[in-house]
Amino acid sequence: MRANLSVALILAACVTTELAAASPCTLALNSVVPIRQDGTIDVKIDGGPARLLLDTGASTTIISSDAAKRLHLHADPDTAMTIRGLQDPLVFSGIGGSDLTTEVMAKRFEVGAITGRKFHLMAGGTNDRTTDGLLSTDFLQDYDIDLNFPAQEIRLFRQFGSCDRPKILLHGNLYTIPLLQSEDDSRPRVEVFIDNRRLVALLDTGAWHSSIYRKTALSLGIRPEDLQRDPALKVNGTVSAVMHIFPALTIGDLTLRNTRMVVLDDHKLDDTDILLGADFQHRLHLWISNSSHLLIMQYPPVPSEPLPKQPW
């Protein structure tokens, strides 16, 4: 009797494994979030409203010190003793400067229909009068992102089942390129080419202008006197820069002509050569498939397909 029971259990396990392996590839919509032309979205933190800039170029969600006080956010007492003293200030660096920050915890962090619990974020700096902070890839990395700036909407999905290709809801002219993977960096980076030179580009929704570092631009054969003739401007009100037009920027099989980029007089923070800002993303409809580590670009952009009826 025991032998027969064992055989039955083994057969049942095999059938369950086969069914799991053959489970259909499905796409579940988790949230639809309106996004303004300036890249900001509305969220709720412990029930209080906040306006955050969607920033795929940052790895950590951050809010201003004023917003943290307004929302009554404090360091998590359960982890403050183990994570190098969360109440000690940390320095976050980016284009335009650095800020001292401390880590705080939100009991409820709501982005549309998604609620994160005991979500850790950084608090520091001051409000810029239009936003309370940044929503970054530490939150976004668990979802496939339908990023549709032309329609002022983002949709967050999760993919389930056995998928031999990414499940997406885009049609028309599509261009697919692998995301460059890194164990300690969830920001979406891709390989691009200018004049047949391979460069690393970061999709940075937190930057309004696409930009390239001066050293990289000079390595492409652009002369200093060429840059002196370009119009000058400031980034974040502090960094001196010029705007240069590049005849062709190639991403996978897609080539964009006459791409304007700010040439930054600033040091590189990592191996990134180019920041593809919101001006770039307003030209396309993007699908960032974190589950498949792919970037799918729709150009020219067209409206999103409706979500099929879910099987459950």
Side-chain angles (χ1 to χ4, degrees):
M1 183 68 178
R2 288 183 178 177
N4 291 337
L5 181 59
S6 298
V7 170
L9 290 174
I10 292 172
L11 290 174
C14 291
V15 171
T16 302
T17 302
E18 290 178 1
L19 288 174
S23 59
C25 181
T26 59
L27 194 66
L29 176 64
N30 290 91
S31 189
V32 179
V33 184
I35 185 167
R36 300 178 182 85
Q37 283 288 340
D38 63 0
T40 59
I41 64 172
D42 292 325
V43 304
K44 288 185 177 180
I45 303 176
D46 287 350
R51 179 182 289 193
L52 301 183
L53 176 67
L54 182 72
D55 191 355
T56 57
S59 58
T60 303
T61 296
I62 185 169
I63 62 171
S64 69
S65 298
D66 292 341
K69 291 178 182 178
R70 186 185 79 234
L71 297 166
H72 307 291
L73 297 179
H74 307 285
D76 182 2
D78 295 332
T79 57
M81 298 301 293
T82 59
I83 306 182
R84 204 175 62 81
L86 293 181
Q87 296 178 358
D88 295 336
L90 304 174
V91 178
F92 268 61
S93 299
I95 294 175
S98 301
D99 278 316
L100 290 177
T101 63
T102 56
E103 187 169 357
V104 297
M105 185 194 73
K107 295 177 182 177
R108 291 173 59 88
F109 189 85
E110 300 173 64
V111 180
I114 298 173
T115 299
R117 300 185 185 276
K118 291 189 175 182
F119 181 69
H120 290 265
L121 59 159
M122 304 305 295
T126 57
N127 290 45
D128 66 358
R129 299 183 181 180
T130 60
T131 65
D132 293 308
L134 309 175
L135 178 66
S136 305
T137 56
D138 54 347
F139 181 89
L140 299 169
Q141 64 185 343
D142 293 330
Y143 302 94
D144 286 1
I145 308 166
D146 179 8
L147 184 56
N148 193 350
F149 267 112
Q152 297 186 47
E153 177 184 84
I154 62 172
R155 300 191 293 178
L156 302 177
F157 295 87
R158 276 191 170 141
Q159 186 172 279
F160 299 96
S162 301
C163 303
D164 57 357
R165 65 183 64 182
K167 190 87 170 178
I168 63 172
L169 298 178
L170 301 184
H171 61 279
N173 296 323
L174 302 182
Y175 305 85
T176 301
I177 185 171
L179 293 173
L180 301 177
Q181 299 182 49
S182 172
E183 292 183 1
D184 57 354
D185 192 347
S186 59
R187 299 176 303 164
R189 300 187 305 158
V190 294
E191 182 182 78
V192 303
F193 289 87
I194 296 179
D195 291 339
N196 296 317
R197 166 82 180 278
R198 178 191 179 275
L199 301 170
V200 174
L202 171 67
L203 293 174
D204 188 358
T205 57
W208 181 251
H209 295 292
S210 295
S211 57
I212 185 171
Y213 290 98
R214 181 182 178 89
K215 184 176 180 181
T216 303
L218 294 177
S219 72
L220 294 172
I222 298 172
R223 299 172 302 175
E225 52 266 34
D226 296 330
L227 297 178
Q228 290 175 358
R229 288 192 291 267
D230 288 329
L233 69 160
K234 289 187 175 181
V235 179
N236 293 339
T238 58
V239 179
S240 61
V242 297
M243 179 73 75
H244 189 79
I245 298 177
F246 292 83
L249 172 69
T250 299
I251 312 171
D253 293 330
L254 174 64
T255 298
L256 298 174
R257 303 291 178 183
N258 298 323
T259 299
R260 295 176 179 269
M261 282 193 281
V262 174
V263 181
L264 295 173
D265 278 333
D266 199 12
H267 64 282
K268 291 176 60 174
L269 300 176
D270 51 31
D271 64 343
T272 300
D273 300 298
I274 290 174
L275 305 179
L276 296 175
D279 55 350
F280 163 80
Q281 292 159 62
H282 276 269
R283 300 174 65 182
L284 302 95
H285 185 167
L286 301 178
W287 188 288
I288 302 173
S289 179
N290 286 313
S291 61
S292 301
H293 306 294
L294 293 172
L295 172 68
I296 298 93
M297 301 172 289
Q298 181 192 67
Y299 184 77
V302 297
S304 299
E305 294 181 21
L307 185 70
K309 187 177 180 179
Q310 298 298 309
W312 52 83

